[in-house]
Amino acid sequence: MALYIYAVTKSSHPLRLDDLPSVGDGESPVRAVRGDSLCAVVSEAPEDVKVTRPDVEAHHAVQERLWEDGATLPLGFGFVAADEDAVLAVLEERAEGFTKSLEELADRVEFNVKGVQDEEAALRQIVDESEQIRQLNEATRDGGGTYDERLELGRLLHDEVQARQTALAESVLAALRPHAHAEQLTEPSQQYFLNASFLVDREKGEEFTKAAEDMSDELPEGVEVRIRGPLPPYSFV
């Protein structure tokens, strides 16, 4: 029987698995496959694993319940093993690495931090503060100006936005790094100028959140820092 795998943890974990929904039909019992010192938390795998909201919510519900009671290695959505023997083989083969990771993550949680900037507010600020850009903006307003002037305006605005967002991201990181044990950065996108995950000692969670809130108060108009957590350390497994 194929098994859907949620997480790996130590066999000594309390494993409060009753009443948890499972990926698939939601009713397959969530249980443990136990090795010598480690165990994997699993349920019967559906025939076709699809990314649906109920299944993703079930996946995270199991992981969050486990994390409440002790360190776990949460797997990404969609891991399936052929059968119980396959699970036990991996637990045995990677026991040393899994155990080391569990010890490193014990009593630590993840916080995800995203930086968002209102594009119109950013552009207004740049135009107000740059004489060259302001002149080009006036020259090309309502379709005026030459092609080269419009091209130059676009280039200058793009470069200035990128430079300012890079500086904003660095300022947020500098404020939060002293309160974290480790970090994982994702490449910035059009939506987020910063997308970072921090590994934080559980007892310092409030301190980390306070530092992020204080940093938010110092940011320019139209800039927002969004914090999500504490979470299981998805980004550090």
Side-chain angles (χ1 to χ4, degrees), residues 31-58:
R31 62 184 181 87
V33 174
R34 294 184 178 274
D36 292 335
S37 60
L38 299 171
C39 66
V41 176
V42 306
S43 63
E44 183 177 346
E47 291 185 7
D48 185 15
V49 179
K50 296 181 179 179
V51 182
T52 65
R53 182 172 180 175
D55 281 349
V56 171
E57 289 177 347

mmCIF file of all heavy atoms in Angstrom, residues 31-58:
data_model
loop_
_atom_site.group_PDB
_atom_site.id
_atom_site.type_symbol
_atom_site.label_atom_id
_atom_site.label_comp_id
_atom_site.label_asym_id
_atom_site.label_seq_id
_atom_site.Cartn_x
_atom_site.Cartn_y
_atom_site.Cartn_z
ATOM 1 N N ARG A 31 -0.886 7.916 10.957
ATOM 2 C CA ARG A 31 -0.213 7.002 11.886
ATOM 3 C C ARG A 31 1.297 7.109 11.718
ATOM 4 O O ARG A 31 1.793 7.851 10.868
ATOM 5 C CB ARG A 31 -0.671 5.563 11.624
ATOM 6 C CG ARG A 31 -0.317 5.048 10.239
ATOM 7 C CD ARG A 31 -0.892 3.662 10.013
ATOM 8 N NE ARG A 31 -0.560 3.116 8.689
ATOM 9 C CZ ARG A 31 0.551 2.450 8.412
ATOM 10 N NH1 ARG A 31 1.445 2.236 9.389
ATOM 11 N NH2 ARG A 31 0.772 1.980 7.203
ATOM 12 N N ALA A 32 2.005 6.346 12.526
ATOM 13 C CA ALA A 32 3.466 6.368 12.492
ATOM 14 C C ALA A 32 4.006 5.047 11.967
ATOM 15 O O ALA A 32 3.492 3.978 12.281
ATOM 16 C CB ALA A 32 4.016 6.632 13.886
ATOM 17 N N VAL A 33 5.048 5.146 11.157
ATOM 18 C CA VAL A 33 5.863 3.991 10.773
ATOM 19 C C VAL A 33 7.149 4.119 11.565
ATOM 20 O O VAL A 33 7.924 5.065 11.360
ATOM 21 C CB VAL A 33 6.151 3.984 9.262
ATOM 22 C CG1 VAL A 33 7.123 2.852 8.916
ATOM 23 C CG2 VAL A 33 4.869 3.847 8.469
ATOM 24 N N ARG A 34 7.404 3.186 12.471
ATOM 25 C CA ARG A 34 8.494 3.335 13.434
ATOM 26 C C ARG A 34 9.722 2.529 13.021
ATOM 27 O O ARG A 34 9.631 1.331 12.744
ATOM 28 C CB ARG A 34 8.040 2.898 14.827
ATOM 29 C CG ARG A 34 6.972 3.807 15.417
ATOM 30 C CD ARG A 34 6.613 3.395 16.837
ATOM 31 N NE ARG A 34 5.622 4.292 17.427
ATOM 32 C CZ ARG A 34 5.919 5.431 18.046
ATOM 33 N NH1 ARG A 34 7.191 5.788 18.154
ATOM 34 N NH2 ARG A 34 4.971 6.188 18.552
ATOM 35 N N GLY A 35 10.879 3.216 13.035
ATOM 36 C CA GLY A 35 12.159 2.558 12.908
ATOM 37 C C GLY A 35 12.764 2.396 14.285
ATOM 38 O O GLY A 35 12.071 2.426 15.297
ATOM 39 N N ASP A 36 14.094 2.248 14.333
ATOM 40 C CA ASP A 36 14.747 2.046 15.632
ATOM 41 C C ASP A 36 14.674 3.295 16.497
ATOM 42 O O ASP A 36 14.267 3.231 17.662
ATOM 43 C CB ASP A 36 16.214 1.651 15.420
ATOM 44 C CG ASP A 36 16.338 0.264 14.795
ATOM 45 O OD1 ASP A 36 15.396 -0.539 14.965
ATOM 46 O OD2 ASP A 36 17.363 0.001 14.143
ATOM 47 N N SER A 37 15.089 4.446 15.960
ATOM 48 C CA SER A 37 15.105 5.680 16.746
ATOM 49 C C SER A 37 14.254 6.781 16.134
ATOM 50 O O SER A 37 14.018 7.814 16.758
ATOM 51 C CB SER A 37 16.547 6.192 16.891
ATOM 52 O OG SER A 37 17.107 6.445 15.610
ATOM 53 N N LEU A 38 13.811 6.560 14.895
ATOM 54 C CA LEU A 38 13.035 7.564 14.179
ATOM 55 C C LEU A 38 11.702 6.978 13.737
ATOM 56 O O LEU A 38 11.537 5.754 13.708
ATOM 57 C CB LEU A 38 13.803 8.050 12.948
ATOM 58 C CG LEU A 38 15.158 8.714 13.185
ATOM 59 C CD1 LEU A 38 15.862 8.929 11.857
ATOM 60 C CD2 LEU A 38 14.989 10.030 13.929
ATOM 61 N N CYS A 39 10.797 7.854 13.381
ATOM 62 C CA CYS A 39 9.547 7.393 12.795
ATOM 63 C C CYS A 39 9.097 8.388 11.729
ATOM 64 O O CYS A 39 9.487 9.560 11.752
ATOM 65 C CB CYS A 39 8.467 7.186 13.854
ATOM 66 S SG CYS A 39 7.933 8.699 14.671
ATOM 67 N N ALA A 40 8.312 7.903 10.805
ATOM 68 C CA ALA A 40 7.703 8.744 9.789
ATOM 69 C C ALA A 40 6.207 8.776 10.035
ATOM 70 O O ALA A 40 5.598 7.749 10.357
ATOM 71 C CB ALA A 40 8.001 8.207 8.394
ATOM 72 N N VAL A 41 5.604 9.947 9.905
ATOM 73 C CA VAL A 41 4.160 10.093 10.077
ATOM 74 C C VAL A 41 3.525 10.023 8.697
ATOM 75 O O VAL A 41 3.891 10.779 7.791
ATOM 76 C CB VAL A 41 3.822 11.411 10.791
ATOM 77 C CG1 VAL A 41 2.315 11.594 10.883
ATOM 78 C CG2 VAL A 41 4.455 11.430 12.180
ATOM 79 N N VAL A 42 2.583 9.106 8.527
ATOM 80 C CA VAL A 42 2.056 8.784 7.201
ATOM 81 C C VAL A 42 0.551 8.567 7.254
ATOM 82 O O VAL A 42 -0.049 8.477 8.327
ATOM 83 C CB VAL A 42 2.722 7.491 6.655
ATOM 84 C CG1 VAL A 42 4.243 7.603 6.674
ATOM 85 C CG2 VAL A 42 2.276 6.259 7.457
ATOM 86 N N SER A 43 -0.043 8.465 6.083
ATOM 87 C CA SER A 43 -1.405 7.954 5.924
ATOM 88 C C SER A 43 -1.453 7.245 4.582
ATOM 89 O O SER A 43 -0.510 7.338 3.779
ATOM 90 C CB SER A 43 -2.447 9.083 5.990
ATOM 91 O OG SER A 43 -2.272 9.997 4.917
ATOM 92 N N GLU A 44 -2.532 6.525 4.321
ATOM 93 C CA GLU A 44 -2.673 5.854 3.035
ATOM 94 C C GLU A 44 -2.710 6.901 1.923
ATOM 95 O O GLU A 44 -3.442 7.890 2.000
ATOM 96 C CB GLU A 44 -3.952 5.024 3.019
ATOM 97 C CG GLU A 44 -4.133 4.225 1.745
ATOM 98 C CD GLU A 44 -5.383 3.345 1.786
ATOM 99 O OE1 GLU A 44 -5.923 3.171 2.899
ATOM 100 O OE2 GLU A 44 -5.797 2.867 0.724
ATOM 101 N N ALA A 45 -1.903 6.703 0.901
ATOM 102 C CA ALA A 45 -1.805 7.692 -0.172
ATOM 103 C C ALA A 45 -2.999 7.577 -1.112
ATOM 104 O O ALA A 45 -3.415 6.465 -1.457
ATOM 105 C CB ALA A 45 -0.514 7.506 -0.949
ATOM 106 N N PRO A 46 -3.544 8.696 -1.550
ATOM 107 C CA PRO A 46 -4.586 8.647 -2.582
ATOM 108 C C PRO A 46 -3.983 8.163 -3.892
ATOM 109 O O PRO A 46 -2.767 8.215 -4.100
ATOM 110 C CB PRO A 46 -5.059 10.090 -2.682
ATOM 111 C CG PRO A 46 -3.905 10.908 -2.196
ATOM 112 C CD PRO A 46 -3.217 10.077 -1.151
ATOM 113 N N GLU A 47 -4.828 7.687 -4.789
ATOM 114 C CA GLU A 47 -4.327 7.198 -6.077
ATOM 115 C C GLU A 47 -3.647 8.301 -6.871
ATOM 116 O O GLU A 47 -2.669 8.044 -7.580
ATOM 117 C CB GLU A 47 -5.486 6.596 -6.889
ATOM 118 C CG GLU A 47 -6.038 5.309 -6.311
ATOM 119 C CD GLU A 47 -7.089 4.695 -7.202
ATOM 120 O OE1 GLU A 47 -7.294 5.212 -8.330
ATOM 121 O OE2 GLU A 47 -7.700 3.698 -6.790
ATOM 122 N N ASP A 48 -4.139 9.514 -6.752
ATOM 123 C CA ASP A 48 -3.585 10.633 -7.505
ATOM 124 C C ASP A 48 -3.481 11.830 -6.572
ATOM 125 O O ASP A 48 -4.494 12.381 -6.146
ATOM 126 C CB ASP A 48 -4.470 10.964 -8.707
ATOM 127 C CG ASP A 48 -3.867 12.040 -9.598
ATOM 128 O OD1 ASP A 48 -2.667 12.314 -9.456
ATOM 129 O OD2 ASP A 48 -4.598 12.604 -10.430
ATOM 130 N N VAL A 49 -2.250 12.201 -6.205
ATOM 131 C CA VAL A 49 -2.044 13.334 -5.306
ATOM 132 C C VAL A 49 -2.136 14.629 -6.103
ATOM 133 O O VAL A 49 -1.349 14.858 -7.028
ATOM 134 C CB VAL A 49 -0.672 13.244 -4.611
ATOM 135 C CG1 VAL A 49 -0.462 14.450 -3.707
ATOM 136 C CG2 VAL A 49 -0.572 11.953 -3.805
ATOM 137 N N LYS A 50 -3.106 15.455 -5.767
ATOM 138 C CA LYS A 50 -3.299 16.732 -6.445
ATOM 139 C C LYS A 50 -3.224 17.869 -5.438
ATOM 140 O O LYS A 50 -3.586 17.699 -4.265
ATOM 141 C CB LYS A 50 -4.656 16.772 -7.159
ATOM 142 C CG LYS A 50 -4.789 15.760 -8.286
ATOM 143 C CD LYS A 50 -6.149 15.883 -8.966
ATOM 144 C CE LYS A 50 -6.282 14.893 -10.115
ATOM 145 N NZ LYS A 50 -7.612 14.989 -10.784
ATOM 146 N N VAL A 51 -2.763 19.010 -5.898
ATOM 147 C CA VAL A 51 -2.668 20.184 -5.028
ATOM 148 C C VAL A 51 -4.043 20.838 -4.942
ATOM 149 O O VAL A 51 -4.428 21.638 -5.793
ATOM 150 C CB VAL A 51 -1.625 21.184 -5.548
ATOM 151 C CG1 VAL A 51 -1.527 22.369 -4.597
ATOM 152 C CG2 VAL A 51 -0.271 20.511 -5.688
ATOM 153 N N THR A 52 -4.802 20.453 -3.929
ATOM 154 C CA THR A 52 -6.102 21.066 -3.670
ATOM 155 C C THR A 52 -6.047 21.731 -2.299
ATOM 156 O O THR A 52 -5.231 21.361 -1.443
ATOM 157 C CB THR A 52 -7.230 20.028 -3.677
ATOM 158 O OG1 THR A 52 -7.026 19.113 -2.575
ATOM 159 C CG2 THR A 52 -7.239 19.251 -4.997
ATOM 160 N N ARG A 53 -6.926 22.688 -2.095
ATOM 161 C CA ARG A 53 -6.911 23.405 -0.816
ATOM 162 C C ARG A 53 -7.135 22.465 0.378
ATOM 163 O O ARG A 53 -6.391 22.550 1.375
ATOM 164 C CB ARG A 53 -7.951 24.521 -0.836
ATOM 165 C CG ARG A 53 -7.965 25.344 0.441
ATOM 166 C CD ARG A 53 -8.853 26.564 0.315
ATOM 167 N NE ARG A 53 -8.858 27.337 1.545
ATOM 168 C CZ ARG A 53 -9.463 28.503 1.698
ATOM 169 N NH1 ARG A 53 -10.121 29.035 0.676
ATOM 170 N NH2 ARG A 53 -9.422 29.137 2.848
ATOM 171 N N PRO A 54 -8.132 21.559 0.349
ATOM 172 C CA PRO A 54 -8.319 20.661 1.488
ATOM 173 C C PRO A 54 -7.091 19.796 1.768
ATOM 174 O O PRO A 54 -6.738 19.565 2.932
ATOM 175 C CB PRO A 54 -9.522 19.802 1.078
ATOM 176 C CG PRO A 54 -10.255 20.635 0.092
ATOM 177 C CD PRO A 54 -9.207 21.384 -0.667
ATOM 178 N N ASP A 55 -6.431 19.321 0.705
ATOM 179 C CA ASP A 55 -5.266 18.467 0.917
ATOM 180 C C ASP A 55 -4.078 19.250 1.457
ATOM 181 O O ASP A 55 -3.340 18.766 2.327
ATOM 182 C CB ASP A 55 -4.888 17.754 -0.383
ATOM 183 C CG ASP A 55 -5.787 16.555 -0.667
ATOM 184 O OD1 ASP A 55 -6.540 16.164 0.239
ATOM 185 O OD2 ASP A 55 -5.727 16.020 -1.788
ATOM 186 N N VAL A 56 -3.857 20.448 0.953
ATOM 187 C CA VAL A 56 -2.763 21.276 1.473
ATOM 188 C C VAL A 56 -3.025 21.632 2.936
ATOM 189 O O VAL A 56 -2.109 21.599 3.777
ATOM 190 C CB VAL A 56 -2.592 22.547 0.622
ATOM 191 C CG1 VAL A 56 -1.620 23.519 1.287
ATOM 192 C CG2 VAL A 56 -2.093 22.188 -0.775
ATOM 193 N N GLU A 57 -4.274 21.941 3.268
ATOM 194 C CA GLU A 57 -4.611 22.261 4.657
ATOM 195 C C GLU A 57 -4.414 21.049 5.562
ATOM 196 O O GLU A 57 -3.928 21.185 6.697
ATOM 197 C CB GLU A 57 -6.044 22.769 4.741
ATOM 198 C CG GLU A 57 -6.227 24.162 4.143
ATOM 199 C CD GLU A 57 -7.663 24.629 4.168
ATOM 200 O OE1 GLU A 57 -8.564 23.791 4.420
ATOM 201 O OE2 GLU A 57 -7.900 25.842 3.942
ATOM 202 N N ALA A 58 -4.776 19.866 5.081
ATOM 203 C CA ALA A 58 -4.576 18.649 5.870
ATOM 204 C C ALA A 58 -3.083 18.397 6.081
ATOM 205 O O ALA A 58 -2.643 18.034 7.185
ATOM 206 C CB ALA A 58 -5.231 17.460 5.168
#
